[in-house]
Amino acid sequence: MKKLNPLRKIHLLLMIVLLFCSGFSTVVFFGGFEFAVAGKDKLEVILTGCTTLTVMVMLLTGVVYLIGGYKKNAAVYYKVFILLMVLVTLIDLITNMVCATMNVLLIIRCALFAIKIIFLLLLAFGKDLGREKTRIILYVIIGLDIAGMIVMLIIMSGTGFDFKLIGVIAALVADVTLGLAIHGKYSDKKSRGRI
């Protein structure tokens, strides 16, 4: 295990806390607890539960990747982590499209999700992107998630607290994890003389 600096330890701790929050959210959605599912139809509850469950698996994969270090044999966790980010974003996009009454804010949120999916897929499957292009893609993804969080907070200011906020926070933490993974990936390549 690679020794983690204080910042990475804090980040890892935050990921573990969010892992438990996502676990709690998954239980309350699939358990049908009134305080979490009030005002939501059955399909939205199931899709939101699937989102929080996928967020749990994504965070767990990120934790394993961070603890295991960034060596080449851990590269599968990197790709799986990105693909789980795609899946979370896709389920959230579908939930917004089929379960909510469309308005300008939701259309903006859906557009942000769709663009994010494209950039994540580019990151997962793009060949020889190089450090700079990869960083630019990461910054775009972070920008999209910040914009999505702002839209979510505006929506919540009119409707009240929603457990979906945990997913929004988890997305930002996942972005930081992705940034650390990208940094580690290219540092490892440099140490092996690959760049």
Side-chain angles (χ1 to χ4, degrees), residues 10-187:
I10 292 167
H11 179 71
L12 189 61
L13 180 64
L14 182 57
M15 286 182 70
I16 291 168
V17 169
L18 278 170
L19 183 62
F20 283 107
C21 289
S22 297
F24 174 76
S25 297
T26 302
V27 169
V28 298
F29 276 107
F30 284 135
F33 288 81
E34 187 61 29
F35 67 90
V37 302
K40 295 177 173 66
D41 62 27
K42 189 171 183 177
L43 179 61
E44 185 176 2
V45 170
I46 291 168
L47 286 171
T48 305
C50 288
T51 301
T52 56
L53 180 63
T54 310
V55 166
M56 259 179 61
V57 177
M58 177 190 73
L59 289 168
L60 186 61
T61 305
V63 166
V64 170
Y65 186 67
L66 280 177
I67 290 174
Y70 308 110
K71 301 298 179 193
K72 189 168 173 55
N73 59 0
V76 67
Y77 291 109
Y78 173 77
K79 191 163 275 192
V80 168
F81 184 76
I82 294 172
L83 293 176
L84 285 167
M85 287 179 77
V86 170
L87 185 58
V88 168
T89 309
L90 183 62
I91 296 170
D92 214 350
L93 173 63
I94 292 167
T95 304
N96 280 285
M97 289 178 69
V98 300
C99 298
T101 305
M102 273 296 154
N103 57 39
V104 173
L105 289 173
L106 277 177
I107 291 169
I108 291 169
R109 196 153 189 257
C110 289
L112 292 170
F113 285 153
I115 296 166
K116 180 182 173 182
I117 288 169
I118 292 166
F119 278 97
L120 284 169
L121 289 172
L122 184 60
L123 204 55
F125 299 110
K127 296 291 182 189
D128 300 321
L129 293 172
R131 188 190 295 248
E132 286 311 307
K133 284 181 186 171
T134 302
R135 278 187 183 158
I136 290 168
I137 292 170
L138 174 66
Y139 297 148
V140 170
I141 291 168
I142 292 170
L144 291 166
D145 278 335
I146 290 171
M149 180 183 69
I150 292 167
V151 172
M152 179 71 173
L153 291 173
I154 293 169
I155 292 169
M156 282 175 51
S157 71
T159 60
F161 176 78
D162 194 319
F163 275 90
K164 290 179 184 178
L165 185 60
I166 292 171
V168 174
I169 295 167
L172 291 169
V173 172
D175 292 344
V176 175
T177 306
L178 186 57
L180 290 172
I182 288 167
H183 174 75
K185 173 184 173 180
Y186 283 101
S187 295

